[in-house]
Amino acid sequence: MIKRAGTHVREVRVDQEPLPSEGFAEVRIVAASPDTARRVAEVLRRCFASAEQRSYPAGAEGGTRLHLTIDTAQAAGPARSWLSTSESSPEGPAHTDEV
């Protein structure tokens, strides 16, 4: 898979990562600053039960890559009502930068 971030292009090998357990999702947040990544993670934690986040440096410009494991079976508030009324489309169109 090729990821595009502004003018930077890099290849990511997602087929080598183990899949999370049923009902869990691994979320990767890449942001220019640690504060931005933490704010996005906080929104996810308000919607789902989650494990402790792990953060790593991303890029030479001081960006942050944050990893978070969320439990989709334990949704809270807005996520619970949205998930109960939404339907997933297994054959839906993917974005060009998605696997």
Side-chain angles (χ1 to χ4, degrees):
M1 174 173 73
I2 297 177
K3 293 257 185 186
R4 297 182 191 277
T7 59
H8 303 291
V9 178
R10 64 186 171 94
E11 187 171 337
V12 178
R13 302 284 310 181
V14 293
D15 58 339
Q16 296 176 351
E17 291 186 34
L19 292 175
S21 302
E22 181 68 33
F24 289 83
E26 290 290 329
V27 179
R28 308 290 190 255
I29 302 166
V30 180
S33 73
D35 186 52
T36 300
R38 281 191 296 271
R39 289 187 350 228
V40 172
E42 182 62 32
V43 170
L44 289 171
R45 281 194 298 274
R46 288 176 188 254
C47 295
F48 298 100
S50 66
E52 182 143 344
Q53 67 192 31
R54 290 113 28 224
S55 61
Y56 308 92
E61 295 85 26
T64 296
R65 186 177 73 232
L66 193 141
H67 296 188
L68 183 67
T69 303
I70 60 171
D71 181 352
T72 63
Q74 296 191 33
R80 183 183 310 126
S81 62
W82 179 80
L83 287 169
S84 66
T85 60
S86 69
E87 295 182 21
S88 62
S89 174
E91 308 241 350
H95 293 248
T96 58
D97 64 343
E98 292 181 351
V99 173

